[in-house]
């Protein structure tokens, strides 16, 4: 199964343009991703690459994703409170992948990870962290997000 994710922003769009379309400032955007302002600012200035999860989550929230539509409304300034910030367990990460019907190799490739890195995220004893944007994106794709919903275009 393909998740219809994009690996980079379309040529005509930037992270800053998506953030502006969402209606939030850079400080709120950084809170949405659970990162400090300076790393977020480096992503906006293309000094640091945004992850596949960050790119797709912001494209969906801005209404610019080529394959997914947000099907609910929300108050933009409340967005950080609507996103899930708790780190999932390795078992929860595995369950999300299985809900999507994907192998470890397939989800790793679609999210831009090496297979060994993804396997570490599903480790039961000491899982590697899943970024906030990736976790929220997977919850949306599984129709399990507590506050937001999406549908295929």
């Amino acid at each position: 199964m393909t998740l219809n994710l994009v690996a980079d922003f379309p040529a005509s769009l930037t992270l800053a343009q998506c953030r502006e379309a969402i209606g939030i400032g850079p400080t709120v955007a950084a809170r949405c991703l659970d990162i400090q302002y300076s790393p977020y600012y480096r992503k906006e200035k293309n000094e640091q690459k945004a992850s596949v999860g960050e790119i797709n989550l912001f494209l969906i929230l801005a209404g610019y994703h080529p394959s997914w539509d947000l099907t609910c409304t929300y108050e933009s300034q409340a967005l950080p409170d609507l996103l899930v910030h708790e780190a999932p367990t390795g078992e929860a990460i595995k369950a999300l992948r299985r809900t999507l019907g994907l192998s470890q190799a397939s989800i790793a490739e679609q999210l831009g990870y090496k297979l060994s890195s993804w396997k570490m995220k599903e480790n039961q004893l000491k899982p590697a962290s899943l970024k906030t944007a990736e976790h929220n994106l997977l919850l949306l794709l599984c129709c399990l997000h507590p506050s937001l919903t999406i549908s295929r275009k």
Side-chain angles (χ1 to χ4, degrees):
M1 173 185 176
T2 180
L3 300 176
N4 294 327
L5 301 178
V6 296
D8 211 342
F9 285 103
S12 60
L13 281 175
T14 64
L15 179 60
Q17 289 170 315
C18 286
R19 174 186 53 75
E20 290 166 1
I22 294 168
I24 57 175
T27 303
V28 174
R31 282 184 48 222
C32 288
L33 300 177
D34 277 338
I35 60 176
Q36 298 294 317
Y37 176 80
S38 356
Y40 176 80
Y41 186 74
R42 285 194 296 276
K43 291 175 191 265
E44 271 205 6
K45 298 299 177 196
N46 289 320
E47 295 170 5
Q48 182 179 343
K49 182 152 173 43
S51 72
V52 171
E54 293 164 342
I55 291 166
N56 284 275
L57 181 64
F58 268 64
L59 286 171
I60 289 168
L61 294 172
Y64 296 146
H65 201 282
S67 301
W68 298 100
D69 274 327
L70 193 65
T71 57
C72 61
T73 58
Y74 63 92
E75 174 61 40
S76 59
Q77 294 306 309
L79 185 57
D81 298 325
L82 298 176
L83 296 174
V84 176
H85 296 278
E86 295 80 31
T89 64
E91 185 64 35
I93 295 169
K94 183 178 184 177
L96 289 169
R97 174 184 58 79
R98 286 184 168 173
T99 297
L100 292 168
L102 297 173
S103 66
Q104 288 180 321
S106 179
I107 197 164
E109 179 183 354
Q110 292 182 61
L111 288 174
Y113 283 99
K114 292 179 181 174
L115 177 57
S116 60
S117 296
W118 183 264
K119 285 182 176 182
M120 288 173 33
K121 293 183 181 304
E122 292 188 16
N123 184 307
Q124 302 301 313
L125 300 176
K126 189 176 177 190
S129 63
L130 189 63
K131 293 178 183 171
T132 297
E134 295 166 340
H135 186 207
N136 280 274
L137 178 64
L138 292 177
L139 288 169
L140 284 167
L141 293 168
C142 291
C143 300
L144 295 173
H145 200 283
S147 305
L148 304 169
T149 55
I150 61 173
S151 66
R152 284 191 187 268
K153 286 190 174 179

